[in-house]
Amino acid sequence: MPPPTLPPLPSRGASSTMPLTVKQISEAQQSGTTGEKGAPFVVDGVETANVRLVGLVSGKTERNTDVSFTIDDGTGRLDFIRWVNDGADSAETAAVQNGMYVSVIGSLKGLQERKRATAFAIRPVTDYNEVTLHFIQCVRMHLENTKSQIGGPAKTYSAMGSSSSNGFSEMTTPTSVKSNPAPVLSVTNGSKTDLNTEVLNVFREPANVESEHGVHIDEIVKRFRLPEAKIKVAIDYLADIGHIYSTIDESHYKSAFNE
């Protein structure tokens, strides 16, 4: 059966999470002609503020209110700061050590000549296939954006580099995701609703978006009354394509889209 498709997501710029390499970030240009402070950065003609990187941690420095560190992904180095507001933040940053591969979601700040990033989610990489998958996602997104947007104005990033009118194209679906499609839940007016979409809708509910730690997997299992293994397949799919990310542990997840 073909891989499941997700419904188109609205273009929200800073609300979307874009997989990038440090080199892509270093070459990003601020939108506008003056590069004024606060202007969004543009990568391959697409405006983006929230980014996801995977790389090696170095130079970790802990203070009372924040933790700073550098991510090296083999294409370059980028400095991050993670603000520490409570015990959950402290536990998250304590799990990260120098020499460890991590996945980081954050936002780009600063001016063209001096970029920096603020992290709002960071977790250790436990499966090194994730490093390879991340680079595949970066390459595919770059190819898709440069193919579809040559000569056009800067657009707002929506999902994995696909346009908001087309949802997820065949090119932008990771290979690991294609091999593990979610089961169909129902058919309404001839339209199939897959488990991935239904689970994503739970994470995008206003109360869950506002929740600091997100939603526990057990809550999703209770909601759908399905085996935990099936729910985990859907959650893994959504995490692979950057729609959700883990928060305080590998059982809590939160939507990457702020609604």
Side-chain angles (χ1 to χ4, degrees), residues 64-83:
N64 290 335
T65 58
D66 65 82
V67 173
S68 60
F69 55 92
T70 300
I71 292 294
D72 185 340
D73 67 354
T75 71
R77 298 162 65 90
L78 181 66
D79 294 330
F80 277 85
I81 186 169
R82 173 69 162 96
W83 297 104

Side-chain angles (χ1 to χ4, degrees), residues 182-183 185 195-196 198-200 202-203 215-238 244 251 253:
L185 289 181
L195 183 59
N196 294 339
E198 296 295 334
V199 171
L200 177 61
V202 174
F203 286 106
V215 185
H216 195 284
I217 291 178
D218 289 348
E219 295 182 38
I220 307 294
V221 172
K222 292 178 182 177
R223 176 80 68 96
F224 291 100
R225 298 180 180 178
L226 291 173
E228 183 176 341
K230 287 188 176 182
I231 297 298
K232 284 187 174 180
V233 168
I235 287 176
D236 287 344
Y237 172 86
L238 295 171
I244 63 174
S251 295
Y253 287 83

Side-chain angles (χ1 to χ4, degrees), residues 179-190:
S179 63
N180 210 5
V184 173
L185 289 181
S186 62
V187 177
T188 304
N189 296 326

Side-chain angles (χ1 to χ4, degrees), residues 25 28 47 96 102 111 130 152 158 185 201 219 222-223 234 251 256:
I25 291 175
E47 291 183 356
V96 175
V102 297
L111 297 174
E130 182 177 348
S158 176
L185 289 181
N201 288 339
E219 295 182 38
K222 292 178 182 177
R223 176 80 68 96
S251 295

Side-chain angles (χ1 to χ4, degrees), residues 102-210:
V102 297
S103 174
V104 186
I105 296 178
S107 58
L108 295 178
K109 304 292 182 182
L111 297 174
Q112 174 60 39
E113 66 277 5
R114 190 177 181 182
K115 300 184 184 75
R116 64 184 188 279
T118 299
F120 51 80
I122 178 172
R123 60 174 177 79
V125 170
T126 56
D127 182 351
Y128 288 98
N129 287 324
E130 182 177 348
V131 179
T132 303
L133 175 61
H134 175 76
F135 278 98
I136 291 173
Q137 291 173 332
C138 292
V139 170
R140 289 187 172 181
M141 187 200 65
H142 166 73
L143 293 175
E144 180 72 9
N145 287 342
T146 53
K147 180 185 71 173
S148 62
Q149 298 180 16
I150 291 177
K155 298 181 180 180
T156 301
Y157 175 72
S158 176
M160 282 295 300
S162 59
S163 65
S164 59
S165 61
N166 294 328
F168 285 92
S169 66
E170 183 73 12
M171 172 175 280
T172 58
T173 304
T175 303
S176 62
V177 172
K178 293 179 185 178
S179 63
N180 210 5
V184 173
L185 289 181
S186 62
V187 177
T188 304
N189 296 326
S191 175
K192 293 183 179 180
T193 302
D194 62 73
L195 183 59
N196 294 339
T197 304
E198 296 295 334
V199 171
L200 177 61
N201 288 339
V202 174
F203 286 106
R204 295 175 66 190
E205 291 175 358
N208 293 331
V209 170
E210 294 297 324

